[in-house]
């Protein structure tokens, strides 16, 4: 009887905490977000506009059009589908208990880890699915602020735009055999994409076996002095993600690695070493690499001089987003419109999903509502991410970003730099790729400790 009474108390306590978390962390999707129909919207390198079919009208002074070589125009529904297709990781509750702690929820303390997961997830989407991929079920998700997406005016304009495009195209007549071949190719491609879509999400599951799940990230964080319930800054999360990718044992993940810039410097030879690491002599291909650059966009407050640079970064298709936020809250920045950043918010409590079961529900891993925040409210501490499929990509990316850094820098020194050679050539300790007894080198521990004391506190 006593045991039964204790169980009932625990169940009531669990229900109370669940209700409290849902009340406290569910408001983020209730507020409406409005987008201007007069300005371009950029989302991880893709550009959308809601006004007309003439790209030049997006930016009368041409400033937005200069950011990317090719403006990818689209209507509201296309933007919605692209945004919702990005993988969204949020607070969860009632997941398996985290080792050496009493936590079965991360509500209130893991938002930076969650934003780091979202950045890594976008890198994996680029790696396995490509930037053009969108989830076929994206538009089936109920949108809590649909009025902010499709006002009457925008609907009218995009309908006109689509009608004009339809009228310009000549219908193509296909033979039955050709139609069947296209259908088979389409079905095979969709099936492959669905497999990788689910596989990527499963790697972020909230259970100990998941390679990039919260349980594993907490274990790697312990090597830098962090435990479950602590706050994690963007730079610390960058190093934790690097270790998680290094230690992942899934064969599918052996073709990708992470490089974290040291002291705002990307050393080209160190990046190449990572691309070549652990590759057998029989393999000619190199690893893809995600480059993470922890930076500060000012002192106590974000310097507005960095606005155009951040917008330029988010206008690149190989950008995988920014781990950032505002003081005491971490967000995953994925785009912008005018001087406002577009982000996904991890501060939303959802129930645990067992990703080990077949056909687990996908809806809670995709955000129906984008949010916007003025750049001036952004906390200066953040981590920027890029994806390079091969060495040629890295060379091109370093050249493009270096030009962007020089043109945007009003100070003597740019926000970060790309330099030739190894870090050890400049009297910095070179980070080992693998260590048997400790995941972090002594130099890394010192750096992580410094980051932990310098970065803002996130809730």
């Amino acid at each position: 009887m006593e045991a039964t009474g204790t169980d009932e108390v625990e169940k009531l306590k669990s229900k109370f905490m669940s209700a409290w978390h849902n009340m406290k962390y569910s408001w983020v999707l209730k507020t409406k977000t409005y987008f201007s129909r007069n300005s371009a919207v950029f989302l991880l390198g893709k550009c959308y506009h809601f006004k007309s079919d003439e790209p030049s009208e997006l930016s009368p002074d041409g400033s937005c059009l200069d950011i990317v070589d090719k403006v990818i125009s689209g209507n509201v529904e296309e933007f919605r589908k692209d945004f919702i297709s990005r993988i969204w990781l949020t607070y969860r509750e009632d997941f398996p208990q985290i080792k050496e702690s009493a936590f079965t929820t991360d509500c209130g303390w893991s938002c930076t880890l969650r934003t780091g997961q979202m950045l890594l997830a976008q890198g994996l989407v680029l790696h396995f699915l490509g930037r053009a991929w969108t989830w076929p079920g994206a538009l089936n998700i109920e949108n809590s602020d649909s009025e902010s997406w499709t006002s009457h005016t925008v609907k009218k304009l995009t309908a006109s735009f689509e009608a004009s495009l339809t009228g310009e195209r000549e219908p193509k007549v296909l033979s039955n055999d050709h139609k069947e071949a296209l259908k088979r190719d389409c079905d095979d491609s969709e099936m492959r994409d669905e497999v990788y879509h689910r596989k990527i999400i499963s790697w972020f599951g909230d259970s100990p076996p998941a390679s990039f799940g919260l349980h594993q990230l907490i274990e790697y964080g312990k090597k830098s002095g962090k435990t479950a319930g602590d706050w994690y800054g963007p730079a610390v999360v960058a190093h934790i993600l690097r270790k998680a990718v290094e230690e992942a044992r899934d064969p599918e993940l052996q073709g990708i690695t992470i490089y974290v810039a040291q002291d705002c410097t990307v050393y080209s030879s160190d990046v190449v070493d990572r691309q070549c690491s652990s590759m057998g002599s029989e393999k000619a291909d190199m690893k893809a690499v995600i480059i993470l650059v922890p930076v500060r966009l000012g002192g106590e407050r974000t310097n507005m001089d960095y606005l155009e640079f951040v917008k330029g970064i988010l206008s690149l298709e190989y950008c995988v987003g920014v781990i950032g936020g505002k003081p005491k809250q971490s967000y995953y920045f994925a785009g912008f419109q005018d001087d406002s950043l577009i982000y996904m918010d991890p501060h939303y409590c959802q129930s645990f999903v067992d990703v080990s079961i077949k056909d687990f529900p996908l809806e809670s891993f995709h955000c129906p509502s984008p949010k916007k925040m003025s750049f001036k409210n952004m906390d200066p501490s953040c981590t920027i991410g890029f994806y390079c499929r091969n060495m040629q990509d890295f060379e091109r990316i370093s050249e493009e970003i270096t030009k962007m850094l020089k043109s945007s820098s009003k100070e003597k020194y740019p926000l970060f730099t790309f330099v030739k050679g190894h870090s050890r050539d400049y009297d910095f300790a070179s980070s080992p790729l693998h260590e048997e007894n400790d995941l972090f080198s002594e130099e890394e521990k010192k750096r992580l400790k410094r980051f932990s004391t310098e970065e803002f506190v996130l809730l």
Side-chain angles (χ1 to χ4, degrees):
M1 290 294 293
E2 184 177 349
T4 302
T6 303
D7 290 342
E8 289 298 321
V9 170
E10 289 300 316
K11 287 181 180 178
L12 286 173
K13 182 179 178 181
S14 176
K15 289 181 179 179
F16 174 79
M17 291 305 298
S18 177
W20 167 247
H21 287 152
N22 283 322
M23 179 180 68
K24 183 176 181 180
Y25 298 112
S26 64
W27 61 270
V28 295
L29 293 185
K30 303 302 182 184
T31 56
K32 291 184 178 180
T33 301
Y34 295 93
F35 289 85
S36 169
R37 61 186 178 87
N38 298 315
S39 302
V41 177
F42 283 85
L43 182 69
L44 294 169
K46 288 198 173 185
C47 180
Y48 298 91
H49 62 96
F50 310 145
K51 185 175 182 179
S52 73
D53 60 346
E54 185 60 46
S56 62
E57 294 184 18
L58 289 175
S59 179
D61 61 359
S63 58
C64 281
L65 298 181
D66 291 336
I67 298 178
V68 290
D69 295 329
K70 182 179 179 182
V71 175
I72 306 173
S73 59
N75 63 19
V76 176
E77 293 302 296
E78 289 172 332
F79 172 57
R80 282 192 63 207
K81 189 172 184 179
D82 191 5
F83 177 85
I84 294 173
S85 297
R86 300 314 106 200
I87 294 176
W88 183 41
L89 288 313
T90 72
Y91 289 157
R92 297 279 175 172
E93 62 179 356
D94 299 327
F95 53 62
Q97 186 173 324
I98 294 175
K99 186 179 178 181
E100 298 178 4
S101 78
F103 287 104
T104 57
T105 178
D106 59 321
C107 288
W109 56 269
S110 77
C111 58
T112 319
L113 288 171
R114 293 298 189 182
T115 55
Q117 286 180 319
M118 286 187 262
L119 181 145
L120 177 56
Q122 177 59 18
L124 295 174
V125 166
L126 288 183
H127 186 66
F128 292 106
L129 298 170
R131 181 62 186 90
W133 173 82
T134 55
W135 178 38
L139 297 181
N140 296 329
I141 292 184
E142 182 180 354
N143 188 9
S144 63
D145 60 349
S146 58
E147 288 303 311
S148 68
W149 285 102
T150 53
S151 66
H152 176 72
T153 305
V154 171
K155 281 182 179 179
K156 184 176 179 181
L157 288 167
T158 53
S160 175
F161 173 49
E162 291 172 336
S164 67
L165 287 180
T166 304
E168 291 174 0
R169 296 192 182 109
E170 290 292 331
K172 295 182 179 180
V173 179
L174 300 176
S175 66
N176 290 333
D177 290 342
H178 195 180
K179 287 179 181 178
E180 288 298 321
L182 287 176
K183 185 177 185 299
R184 284 195 300 271
D185 291 343
C186 183
D187 290 344
D188 291 343
S189 177
E190 288 182 358
M191 186 177 298
R192 173 196 173 279
D193 289 351
E194 177 67 9
V195 168
Y196 274 110
H197 180 198
R198 288 185 173 276
K199 185 171 290 188
I200 291 170
I201 290 176
S202 71
W203 285 328
F204 295 91
D206 293 305
S207 58
S211 298
F212 311 128
L214 193 68
H215 294 68
Q216 286 287 0
L217 299 185
I218 294 298
E219 285 300 305
Y220 298 129
K222 289 178 181 178
K223 304 298 181 179
S224 64
K226 296 289 186 180
T227 59
D230 287 346
W231 293 306
Y232 296 73
V236 173
V237 169
H239 285 273
I240 290 174
L241 293 177
R242 175 174 63 82
K243 285 300 177 185
V245 172
E246 282 180 7
E247 298 300 315
R249 292 294 173 258
D250 192 310
E252 294 274 12
L253 294 168
Q254 301 310 301
I256 190 168
T257 186
I258 287 182
Y259 170 85
V260 182
Q262 299 184 48
D263 301 306
C264 300
T265 305
V266 178
Y267 296 94
S268 60
S269 295
D270 288 344
V271 174
V272 172
D273 286 350
R274 286 206 158 270
Q275 289 179 304
C276 298
S277 64
S278 300
M279 298 296 284
S281 58
E282 73 281 2
K283 295 184 179 180
D285 294 337
M286 302 180 71
K287 286 189 176 186
V289 60
I290 296 173
I291 298 174
L292 301 181
V293 188
V295 296
R296 283 193 68 87
L297 304 176
E300 293 184 4
R301 306 187 67 174
T302 295
N303 187 337
M304 291 300 291
D305 289 343
Y306 292 120
L307 171 61
E308 292 305 315
F309 173 74
V310 173
K311 289 165 67 172
I313 289 296
L314 292 171
S315 301
L316 304 172
E317 284 204 15
Y318 46 78
C319 175
V320 293
V322 178
I323 304 172
K326 59 184 181 180
K328 298 186 178 182
Q329 290 187 350
S330 182
Y331 301 141
Y332 170 62
F333 295 117
F336 69 92
Q337 184 181 47
D338 296 325
D339 293 347
S340 294
L341 298 172
I342 297 171
Y343 66 90
M344 287 196 288
D345 194 341
H347 303 85
Y348 186 68
C349 184
Q350 301 190 88
S351 298
F352 165 70
V353 173
D354 185 355
V355 297
S356 66
I357 63 174
K358 184 179 180 181
D359 297 330
F360 62 87
L362 296 167
E363 287 75 15
S364 66
F365 297 99
H366 293 278
C367 181
S369 304
K371 297 300 171 187
K372 291 172 70 177
M373 183 191 84
S374 174
F375 177 79
K376 66 182 179 182
N377 294 329
M378 182 180 178
D379 193 281
S381 290
C382 63
T383 290
I384 300 169
F386 313 99
Y387 170 81
C388 306
R389 187 172 293 276
N390 49 44
M391 190 182 301
Q392 290 73 27
D393 268 4
F394 171 67
E395 291 173 353
R396 176 175 58 87
I397 288 170
S398 60
E399 289 178 5
E400 289 181 5
I401 296 178
T402 297
K403 291 179 181 177
M404 190 182 297
L405 285 162
K406 289 180 178 178
S407 63
S408 66
S409 178
K410 294 182 179 181
E411 304 293 334
K412 184 177 180 180
Y413 299 103
L415 194 61
F416 61 93
T417 59
F418 290 82
V419 301
K420 302 290 185 181
H422 296 88
S423 57
R424 60 175 174 266
D425 299 333
Y426 298 84
D427 294 326
F428 286 104
S430 179
S431 301
L433 296 179
H434 295 281
E435 294 179 1
E436 294 183 1
N437 299 322
D438 199 351
L439 286 175
F440 290 96
S441 66
E442 290 303 317
E443 184 66 23
E444 288 174 323
K445 288 180 180 179
K446 292 177 182 177
R447 193 179 304 117
L448 288 170
K449 185 176 181 180
R450 186 174 76 249
F451 282 136
S452 299
T453 56
E454 289 178 354
E455 289 178 333
F456 55 93
V457 173
L458 303 177
L459 296 177

